[in-house]
Structure formats: C-alpha cells, structure tokens
Amino acid sequence: MEQSPLRSANVLANALTEKLATDPEAVQQLKDNPQQIKTLAADAVLRSDAEEKRVADRTGVTIDGSVYKIVVKTLGVSVVLAVGSIAGIAAYTIYKHGAAADLRVVIPDGLVGLASTAIGALAGLLTPVSRS
C-alpha cells in the first residue's frame, strides 16, 4: 500500500500539537532530543497506514474463491442450457418436418448470442493470467 504523506503529516501535526498542549516541558525535551520528532513521525506513518488499511478493508469488496466458483458455475449452466435449447429446437424441427434435404432450422439470434457470450465469458474466466 502506498503511503499518503499528507495524511501522515496531519497525524504527525496532531501528535505534536497534543504533546505540546499536554506537556509543558515538551518544547525543551524536543530541543534537547530532536530524535523524538523522527520517532513521532515514524509512529504517525504507521498509524496513518493502519487507518488507510482499515478504511480500505471496510469499504473495499474482497473477492474470494467462492464468488469466482459461483460465476463459473452460473456461466457453465448458461452454456449448457443455451446449447441444449439450440439442440432441442433443431431436433424438434427435424422431428416435425422430417429430414428433408431443403429443411432450414431457425434458431433465434438471441439464443445464439447468449450461448456465444456465455462461452466467451467462461473462456475468459478460465484462461490463466500471467502476472508479470
């Protein structure tokens, strides 16, 4: 996760303001030991990063394996139903009109579109991704 310098600076400013407001000797301590500012700054970065991670975890959608499996199964069922429907329409037309040489089987364009889209989506999901 990338650090947010502005947020870290705000956290550091708040920590310094609080320290100066509550401890009357804080100015002298910081003059005597300037390393304390670096310690406060490092702590501010850690707190800022922790806050950003907490907000991201709360607002972000985490996709785990179960969602992927549901999508793949749904697309698989769609493919099977669409191809089965196309085969059923063809079989019914041949049964009804006989196996004539000039027989034309009319398959609805929407059904063909649905089947090809589902097959394409399924192929896209099952294709390995190279992470380079």
Side-chain angles (χ1 to χ4, degrees):
M1 178 181 293
E2 188 176 321
Q3 293 181 15
S4 174
L6 182 59
R7 179 171 282 173
S8 299
N10 288 339
V11 172
L12 175 60
N14 291 339
L16 280 173
T17 304
E18 183 181 327
K19 183 173 180 75
L20 293 173
T22 58
D23 187 6
E25 298 176 3
V27 175
Q28 188 59 40
Q29 289 174 358
L30 291 175
K31 282 183 181 178
D32 293 341
N33 187 6
Q35 190 65 26
Q36 284 183 346
I37 294 176
K38 289 183 180 180
T39 304
L40 288 172
D43 183 51
V45 169
L46 290 176
R47 281 194 283 162
S48 175
D49 290 348
E51 175 66 17
E52 284 184 24
K53 183 176 181 330
R54 187 185 66 78
V55 169
D57 287 345
R58 186 182 63 207
T59 59
V61 176
T62 56
I63 298 177
D64 57 355
S66 63
V67 173
Y68 179 78
K69 289 176 187 177
I70 290 171
V71 171
V72 169
K73 287 177 184 177
T74 304
L75 285 172
V77 168
S78 298
V79 168
V80 169
L81 289 176
V83 171
S85 297
I86 291 171
I89 290 171
Y92 176 74
T93 304
I94 292 171
Y95 172 74
K96 185 176 176 184
H97 299 290
D102 60 345
L103 179 66
R104 290 182 175 257
V105 178
V106 179
I107 307 294
D109 292 336
L111 189 58
V112 173
L114 176 70
S116 61
T117 302
I119 290 171
L122 194 58
L125 282 173
L126 296 177
T127 302
V129 178
S130 64
R131 306 209 181 216
S132 56

